[in-house]
Amino acid sequence: MIKNQARLLQGNEAVVEGAIAAGLKFFAGYPITPSTEIAEQCAAKLPAAGGTFIQMEDEIASMAAVCGASLAGAKSMTATSGPGFSLKQENLGFAVKGEIPCVVVNVQRVGPSTGMPTSPAQGDVMQARWGAHGDHEIVALCPSSVEEAFSLTVEAFNIAEEYRTPVILLMDEVIGHLREKVVLPSKEELVVKEREKPSVPQGEYKPFAMKQGNIPGVPPLAAYGEGYRFHVTGLTHGEDGFPTNNPAIAEKQLKRLNEKISSNKEALVKVEEFHLDDAEIVVFAYGATARSARKAVNDARAQGIKAGMLRPVTIWPFAEDALLKVKAKSPKAVIVAEMNLGQMVLPVKRVMGDSVPVVQVNKLAGQLIEPEEILSAVKEAI
Amino acid sequence: MIKNQARLLQGNEAVVEGAIAAGLKFFAGYPITPSTEIAEQCAAKLPAAGGTFIQMEDEIASMAAVCGASLAGAKSMTATSGPGFSLKQENLGFAVKGEIPCVVVNVQRVGPSTGMPTSPAQGDVMQARWGAHGDHEIVALCPSSVEEAFSLTVEAFNIAEEYRTPVILLMDEVIGHLREKVVLPSKEELVVKEREKPSVPQGEYKPFAMKQGNIPGVPPLAAYGEGYRFHVTGLTHGEDGFPTNNPAIAEKQLKRLNEKISSNKEALVKVEEFHLDDAEIVVFAYGATARSARKAVNDARAQGIKAGMLRPVTIWPFAEDALLKVKAKSPKAVIVAEMNLGQMVLPVKRVMGDSVPVVQVNKLAGQLIEPEEILSAVKEAI
Amino acid sequence: MALPVEKYLRVAKMPHIWCPGCGHGIVLQSIVRAIHELELDTEKTVIVSGIGCSARAPGYLNFDTLHTTHGRAIAFATGIKLAKPELNVIVITGDGDAAAIGGNHLIHAARRNLDLTVICFNNNIYGMTSGQYSPLTPQGSYATTSPYGMLENPFDLCNLVMGAGGTFAARSTTHHARQLTNIIKEAISHKGFAFVDALSQCPTYFGRRNKLRTPREMMKWFEDRAVPARNWDKMSPEEREGKFPVGVLTKTQAPELTEVYGQLIEQLQQRGGE
Amino acid sequence: MALPVEKYLRVAKMPHIWCPGCGHGIVLQSIVRAIHELELDTEKTVIVSGIGCSARAPGYLNFDTLHTTHGRAIAFATGIKLAKPELNVIVITGDGDAAAIGGNHLIHAARRNLDLTVICFNNNIYGMTSGQYSPLTPQGSYATTSPYGMLENPFDLCNLVMGAGGTFAARSTTHHARQLTNIIKEAISHKGFAFVDALSQCPTYFGRRNKLRTPREMMKWFEDRAVPARNWDKMSPEEREGKFPVGVLTKTQAPELTEVYGQLIEQLQQRGGE
Amino acid sequence: MRLELRLAGEGGQGLITAGIILAEACAEYTDLNVVQTQSYGPESRGGASRADVIISSHEIDYPQVKKPDVLIVLAQEACDKYLPTVKDGGTVIIDTTYVKPVPEAQSQRVKVIEFPVSAKARELGREIVANIVALGLLVETTGIVPKDAVIAAILDRVPKGTEELNKQAFAAGVEAAKAL
Amino acid sequence: MRLELRLAGEGGQGLITAGIILAEACAEYTDLNVVQTQSYGPESRGGASRADVIISSHEIDYPQVKKPDVLIVLAQEACDKYLPTVKDGGTVIIDTTYVKPVPEAQSQRVKVIEFPVSAKARELGREIVANIVALGLLVETTGIVPKDAVIAAILDRVPKGTEELNKQAFAAGVEAAKAL
Amino acid sequence: MGQTLQWEISVNSKWCKKCGLCVDYCPRDVLEISDIPTVKDAALCIGCLQCERHCPDFAITVKRRENND
Amino acid sequence: MGQTLQWEISVNSKWCKKCGLCVDYCPRDVLEISDIPTVKDAALCIGCLQCERHCPDFAITVKRRENND
Ligand SMILES: Cc1ncc(C[n+]2csc(CCOP(=O)(O)OP(=O)(O)O)c2C)c(N)n1
Ligand SMILES: Cc1ncc(C[n+]2csc(CCOP(=O)(O)OP(=O)(O)O)c2C)c(N)n1
Ligand code: SF4
Ligand code: SF4
Ligand code: SF4
Ligand code: SF4
Ligand code: SF4
Ligand code: SF4
Ligand SMILES: [Mg+2]
Ligand SMILES: [Mg+2]
């Protein structure tokens, strides 16, 4: 028989396919359920793709090695789950501060602590935003399907490289372990972006310049070994990358660091709007939960209820504008469904204010929320 | 000359005085500016108080040792700043899950990453809430003076022991390094609480029982070496402490774990209300910033402006009720002043909804917000 | 000597989760036997572990037990021991747990000569996460993350502990179950930090990938390669090739940390009392 | 040989932040001299550090430089080296950075025999945070966190690296500045992991508290206690008391990780091309 | 059309592989949509094993199997555990080599097919191909996936040298289903 | 009443200690409120050093010194850096041993007191007590803290055997202020 | 006494995982295994405990008969 | 040639931190220090570089005079 274009891929596998398609050249990781297949696939596939895989001594070292490799010019990635994600926070903060492009995958399982290693959760959504100390913005993407595990990995690399920032691919165990039929785009269809290189002579290069670069606030990045001989530090630094205690310079740099993300929200924040136009009840859901939500919406529509779904594909920065549009239409309720005790519901409530009731559907013991559970919330809210 | 009752103490020193007064018997830490004096004072003072100080190999090990010591029955503490606090997150989550009483001090400095080690910030407030993976509640206290550094340390131990939970003492560099005149309470004036011991026979002890204990949801805690021979794990577990994959049991336990904090908010959440009664402008501030806010309120009052301040002494759980009371009085604005890019302003906005404008005063480059800066925001808002 | 299993095991939790033929059960039995033969007070003995197949052991042991985070068992145990020096504290760990993520805690406890007994269930592989290479996986061996054979050198854990200044390091295997018991007894009795490298077989992940088809075959591998420590020293590098020493490899005396600290407390409290 | 300082230093950043008489400047100079004498390509050499007084060194060096997080320099360097094996990667670290929080990365890099040169500015103390004890602080010495004298045993870092399987370990001191330069040259030239324990003085925190009143006095301490490696082996334990060996303590050859990995890539790519 | 299938037994019986092969057949050789999931034990140490496959002509939203249309069980424990989950009127295929007859109460609720799957595989030469025999049964019983697609998928996956054995095993399953 | 004082010089001159002693005097021997803060260099490696003390009869809210009422400087760099921060009409005490006369523009804005603090200390036997001489000058100039309180606080802190020297140093500072 | 049965060998069938190590390690061929191990010839047993010590599951025990004197 | 000045010793006063190590290490008593080190008697210098090698601040350099042949 002749094969068609499609393949059966596991979510974790699709991440690796996406990463290699995006140009991954370095992976450092430490095994942890339910993300381990990502490391295993990288071990198998990277060397033939001219890249390097290494299993480090722990997650801290993995995150460090990823930063180092990226500064040497390699597109880099690591993958983990909750406990390892907690350990990576300090060096993730370093990547933010040093403006080092890289992709960090967190396939979420039930916490807190060791929790339920093989069961799905969405309990690290707030941690993705706030897990590292100090003020910083973060970009996090949240796939709902194996296809998206592929495409958002490519997107994660593109954002990382374009914005000089770590990007978190925030999966859940359901998507990580799900095998699904997917058609991968051809090389020609793929949009792969590369980091901007400095255009100035070596002596004039300022790795943290305020104004240079294609994207406002994002300075071009040289690679080690190219003769620019630049300095990167986690200390608050000036445009030249050297530490400063001058509050005016510090303030400027810290603002740029944050604004390169926050002021580019329009480009960064992607959502899926499903039957939103006339929706009286809006379900807000992401990741695997959005698949249940989609079924619930369809079922509700079948029963004559005007339901819709807003799915943040970009989970951070927060999809505030899309929600404001929802709010403007004064739906009867927004239902936030998530596999945790209620995390994204907090910003949703903040945006909805006093006028739109926000209802929660939560599940936190390792089971995917079922369409029926959302549907009954929809019915109750109507 | 005869000394009076008062002493000049540094904030960090006061923490150690408070801890020893509360019964501290074990300190494990790793030096980091601006918290190091806490470790140093513990090294000097603990052995004479019959306790043990150890400088561990890193912050992860410190947090681990603190958990171990607490399970062996010793009141335990560690202290750090941002980078170390990031590293502690995984084991902090273990303490939450294992319901292990302990106190974790974070003296905040400017982040992200190494940032400005000797300059103050309040950039870890959200991290304190969300830094560890998985759903969990946390208690965090935030002193505004050296006196409070003492009293809230005692309080932190009391809450930790009573609620079987880690408690974060969230300081900032200003308070940590400030020397101030304080009068410490006498032994008799101090309220020191001890963890509840099991009252059942050894064979019947369930370390994670749903209903036992003085405080609803908080099971008594035996110490290792007392013959109870119990098991503690970071895996999701049942009442007996052994791992379970039964979603019903898991859900119950995870809910109890969270509700023992969230449903006792009334007892846990302390705020200071300053001139709130007739306030048209309410300044929301905490830690060192609240001292500037207090001056700003006084100055505003002197100029005939009805300003007031709400200071969350307990920073987590969030002072929602106190804010709702503020909201009920429909002030002209709530001004949130904090040494970060805007963190606590998010829940404040959520509670204030659409009716009360929320204004931000932020500073993020290592300088304490000045009273004048808050005052001018007050004036603008009136 | 028959083993009163009910005294030491939480029989209600048995059978344990380990695969058929997993060496970890044999090491566990050796520990229980050692505790029994030493007549340790079961109410004054705490067993601490990290995360891994091996780390599940404490759940079956009827003592005060603590199943911590991956790699951190020794650090938790440090807190227990310092807070209550009268307790016997035994750490059960895996080669990944002890030597990968937990390597730092291992060498620091060894350096401090804190009176812990650390027993590494060393199966050369990450069992719990289904067979990735560990820092003990021999060069050339296959694991899910070394699909082309392990490229890195492995540690010799006893050498590592000795290099860190450890006062007791020993090795045995599941094949040498009797010796293993005796070594664990000696380790527990040692005043100071004691490390036991207990070679164990993971038929499910290491064996299967490396053409060692049965548990017995894996244990035969141990049998064939183990050399008693007393003979090891006399062997030439060529003779040592492909072999490893078993037995007590180092045993010296040095001040133990809780003792030293106890003396300090006593001193200062006396001084304070004067 | 006169040192063309402008070629190697970021002169605009000088003078450096170190205290008067701090040994770190002497170690730094030895590194620069070694680089100069080896004629390393300054555009193909990366200097990586963690956090500490020592870790500030890269800021003054006119190379690609990376000042990372505390203890993690070797792990960052691992990524750099693996991603671009043609670079010379030199890690500058402190005794706290390398041996306390960073101990695990040190032993793993040694085990892997990754071609890094790690130079530990070992002043027995945490300088940057104002004088707490480190895992290298000698027993009995005073530090702000050992107000009653250090109670723990210190590491011997070269022994630790050797125990981890390191292929090159050497020690020298700021007193032996010339030897130190030569040792660093040898370390950089070594194909594989190379570790240099460079004893340095912190007059501000270690000296002051331990009655070593001047930098010279501290260096005299090194002078008096250092024994050339070739003599060390012949000394009895009593003779060794209070002394330490300087020189190259171990140097062996073993496959280097980037080479091995490079071969794998080549193999697989050829296979793919067939 | 959305069909939910469950394959359950013990670790080592190869049912996860069978589930994946079935899903690959759909994905790579047909126009059907498909998702496949499986049980991950708390510690993935032997014991029970389960693979679920959802096949649909439409997009598959909710990706989990709650009430399988068809269940095939190769071990008693698996049968006890999953039989009650089968949809009313659904089908259960039991491997009589290891599974006792289904209790009356259940056999009225669902259609039961009995076949000595493992014994048949042993008969063919190696019990290890019981999963492929099971696949044959399943494919023929449901009729949803073209058999040549499944055979192609089998051949994509099995080790060199075992192609014939596996084809025979699949055929045996198919035959058995036809005969029932 | 709220008085803001700043003591500035180089690391090693003991000005932080002097600031703490002054604050301890207020805290432990008077009814005054007091807070003390100091500069922490980015890396606390030598260099400039600064201690601030706020003394008040009321509660002290904002704890930092923005514009000191009184500044005492024992090093040129400190003078250059902090002189401009002094409140209009405030007082600056300079140690003429190390500090050049204050420029015209500033000396019109603030009151300048000149005294060879360090030279005086050297004269008394050890330059190390310059900080205590400075304290004497400061206390006498401001008149806010009772001198016996300060002397008591000095004696609480200084090493055994140096009590007399320190008392003399303090007295010398007081005398100097009186004489000016 | 002589060759009477001195050793009582028992297998806990709930714990036994059928790995066969007890059989492999018995030096006297006392045991055999099809499902769980069984005693083929108890008289051969010398009470060496090899089976017990190498059982990963605490499933086989060898005890001296109490009434054998 | 003879005893003419072969070595040129220079101190970078902006970098020198006055620690005195150069003086301590000079085997020929060439240097002295009150504020920053100065050359007492350049003729005694043997160009051993002890001062330079032990200067933590790259502040003292010893160069062979170029016109000394
Ligand atoms: C922080 C963290 N990282 C990774 C894991 C995943 N993990 C669990 S056990 C394990 C390895 C276990 O290997 P080993 O210690 O050798 O024990 P074994 O299972 O082989 O007995 C890993 C990587 C984890 N639980 N936590
Ligand atoms: C995670 C973390 N923990 C602690 C610190 C604080 N810290 C900075 S440097 C240092 C120790 C430095 O000692 P060493 O490595 O010996 O360097 P030295 O300053 O002595 O040269 C510490 C503990 C930190 N920056 N980050
Ligand atoms: S996976 Fe390996 S180590 Fe884990 S229980 Fe099975 S055989 Fe033992
Ligand atoms: S504190 Fe010590 S190590 Fe740091 S610069 Fe000063 S002398 Fe050197
Ligand atoms: S005790 Fe020895 S002889 Fe007896 S059955 Fe066991 S192994 Fe065989
Ligand atoms: S060794 Fe133990 S588990 Fe294995 S077959 Fe024998 S009795 Fe059963
Ligand atoms: S080169 Fe030698 S002799 Fe000349 S000044 Fe320097 S140390 Fe003295
Ligand atoms: S050694 Fe260097 S810094 Fe020290 S006094 Fe001499 S020239 Fe100056
Ligand atoms: Mg293992
Ligand atoms: Mg040091």
Side-chain angles (χ1 to χ4, degrees), chain B residues 16-37:
Chain B
V16 177
E17 297 285 343
I20 290 178
L24 178 71
K25 281 287 172 298
F26 184 80
F27 181 97
Y30 191 79
I32 183 165
T33 308
S35 77
T36 306
E37 294 84 0

Side-chain angles (χ1 to χ4, degrees), chain C residues 17-24 52-54 123 125-128 130 200-206, chain E residues 43-46:
Chain C
I17 62 162
W18 292 323
C19 305
C22 173
H24 289 358
C53 290
S54 35
N123 57 8
I125 199 92
Y126 292 175
M128 179 59 96
S130 313
S200 171
Q201 72 275 13
C202 172
T204 305
Y205 294 114
F206 191 85
Chain E
E43 39 274 337
S44 52
R45 299 291 73 77

Side-chain angles (χ1 to χ4, degrees), chain A residues 30 36 40 43-44 55 57-58, chain C residues 70 101 132-133 144-145 148:
Chain A
Y30 190 78
T36 306
E40 291 171 342
Q55 185 174 301
E57 51 273 22
D58 63 16
Chain C
H70 189 37
I101 190 167
Q132 298 74 36
Y133 70 77
T144 62
T145 46
Y148 310 109

Side-chain angles (χ1 to χ4, degrees), chain C residues 36-51:
Chain C
H36 178 62
E37 294 177 14
L38 290 172
E39 299 177 26
L40 289 195
D41 184 344
T42 56
E43 301 201 346
K44 297 291 175 204
T45 301
V46 184
I47 323 271
V48 187
S49 70
I51 298 284

Side-chain angles (χ1 to χ4, degrees), chain D residues 95-96 121 123 125-127:
Chain D
D95 46 314
F121 291 39
N123 57 7
I125 198 92
Y126 293 176

Side-chain angles (χ1 to χ4, degrees), chain A residues 90, chain B residues 30-33 59 80 83-84 87 109 114, chain D residues 18 24 51-55 69-70 72 93-98 101 121 123-129 132 134 202, chain F residues 45:
Chain A
E90 191 202 6
Chain B
Y30 191 79
I32 183 165
T33 308
E59 289 87 349
T80 188
L87 289 172
R109 63 191 224 185
T114 315
Chain D
W18 293 322
H24 289 358
I51 298 285
C53 289
S54 35
T69 47
H70 188 36
R72 316 303 174 189
T93 180
D95 46 314
D97 200 51
I101 191 167
F121 291 39
N123 57 7
N124 308 324
I125 198 92
Y126 293 176
M128 179 59 97
T129 46
Q132 297 75 36
S134 93
C202 171
Chain F
R45 302 287 75 77

Side-chain angles (χ1 to χ4, degrees), chain C residues 112-131:
Chain C
R112 290 189 187 109
N113 201 30
L114 182 66
D115 189 20
L116 303 175
T117 307
V118 175
I119 299 157
C120 180
F121 290 40
N122 177 358
N123 57 8
N124 308 324
I125 199 92
Y126 292 175
M128 179 59 96
T129 46
S130 313

Side-chain angles (χ1 to χ4, degrees), chain C residues 1 5 9 11 14-16 18 20-22 25-26 28-29 33 174-175 177-178 181 216 219, chain G residues 14-19 21 24-25 48-58 61-63:
Chain C
M1 185 167 19
V5 159
L9 295 190
V11 287
M14 294 287 287
H16 54 54
W18 292 323
C22 173
I26 303 174
L28 181 60
Q29 191 196 136
R33 240 174 239 284
T174 50
H175 172 76
R178 188 191 192 107
T181 303
R216 181 66 187 101
M219 291 161 85
Chain G
K14 290 207 184 111
W15 292 6
C16 169
K17 297 215 182 91
K18 313 169 185 177
C19 67
L21 278 172
D24 292 341
Y25 269 93
C48 68
L49 252 65
Q50 286 283 30
C51 54
E52 182 174 326
R53 284 185 190 276
H54 289 94
C55 171
D57 291 272
F58 296 88
T61 44
V62 180
K63 279 195 195 130

